[in-house]
Each structure stands twice: as C-alpha cells, then as structure tokens.
Amino acid sequence: MNRIFHARVPWYTLFFLFLLLLLTVWAYWERLGLIALFSLLLMVILIERTIHTTYTVTTDGLLVIHRGRFSKNLTIPLIDIRRIEQLRSARFGQISLTNYIIVYYGQEEEKSVSLIPANGHELVAYIQKTRKK
C-alpha cells in the first residue's frame, strides 16, 4: 500500500501569498492590468503548488515527489538514497524558522532534494523501515 505524506505550508509561503495579494489589489486599484494579471497568475501557481505537494512512498520501493500540476514528478528509488538529514534553518533559542529534510540520492553523482513534510519524523522513519525490507 502506498503511503502519502503531505507538505507543510511554511509561514514564509503564507507571507509571500499575502504580499502577492496586496500587489494584485493595488495593481487592480491603480488600473495596471498587466501587473495585476501577472501577480494573480503567480499567486494561482503558488497556491496550486502549495496545496498539491505530496511525498509518496510506493510499494515498489520508490519515493515520488509530486509538486503540483505544473511541475514534473521526481521519482527516486529508495535503494538510491544515500542518506537523509533532518535540518533546521536559522534558530533563535529553541525556535527555528523552518524544519526540513534533505534527501541525498544517486548512484554515479550525488544529488539532493529538499522536503518539507507535515510530519517529518514519520516520513524519515517510514523510508528507513521500507528500505530495510
């Protein structure tokens, strides 16, 4: 059975969406049609990508990263994963701005991808458990 993990929406994405909303309203108010259209299009793409980002661990031994309808899926075989690191961005005492996961993979050359799952510890544990089977 495939296991799907959803992405977490970081605070800075919500802040950027709010700024795009303000830009769109301002451009519409000032009758700047191209700027309003561009910022509205950018807002739609960002919302769609934020809502539809998922990380799926399949029964075939694959990690499929789906980042919305406008992006290609990234498929990583679990046997190609070299290591997984759970990191935190800038910290202020015990509070960090963002918790994220970096997956290093690849046979010939090492590649990496950054993930921001809603439940990071569970995703890492499930990948490690599935790799051991």
Side-chain angles (χ1 to χ4, degrees):
M1 182 170 73
N2 293 345
R3 181 78 192 271
I4 298 174
F5 297 90
H6 294 278
R8 180 173 37 88
V9 181
W11 65 271
Y12 50 83
T13 301
L14 296 174
F15 182 71
F16 186 63
L17 277 171
F18 180 71
L19 289 179
L20 278 175
L21 176 66
L22 290 179
L23 177 65
T24 304
V25 169
W26 173 80
Y28 183 74
W29 188 267
E30 294 292 326
R31 296 184 181 164
L32 301 170
L34 288 178
I35 294 175
L37 181 67
F38 178 73
S39 61
L40 188 62
L41 181 66
L42 191 59
M43 211 165 57
V44 166
I45 291 170
L46 185 61
I47 289 171
E48 196 278 329
R49 187 172 178 151
T50 301
I51 291 172
H52 291 108
T53 297
T54 59
Y55 313 112
T56 306
V57 180
T58 66
T59 55
D60 301 336
L62 300 173
L63 172 64
V64 180
I65 302 168
H66 178 73
R67 290 195 170 123
R69 297 180 195 131
F70 304 127
S71 301
K72 287 178 62 175
N73 290 351
L74 176 63
T75 303
I76 303 169
L78 293 180
I79 58 172
D80 287 351
I81 294 177
R82 293 184 179 185
R83 68 183 190 277
I84 300 173
E85 293 182 9
Q86 295 182 6
L87 301 172
R88 294 181 179 192
S89 64
R91 296 179 73 175
F92 302 103
Q94 293 293 334
I95 300 171
S96 63
L97 295 178
T98 304
N99 297 331
Y100 59 98
I101 296 171
I102 296 183
V103 176
Y104 296 96
Y105 65 97
Q107 293 293 340
E108 292 87 31
E109 63 180 81
E110 187 173 76
K111 300 175 187 175
S112 64
V113 63
S114 170
L115 311 177
I116 306 177
N119 196 347
H121 297 293
E122 191 174 325
L123 173 65
V124 171
Y126 191 77
I127 288 174
Q128 290 173 346
K129 182 179 88 170
T130 308
R131 285 180 62 194
K132 290 179 183 178
K133 287 184 180 180

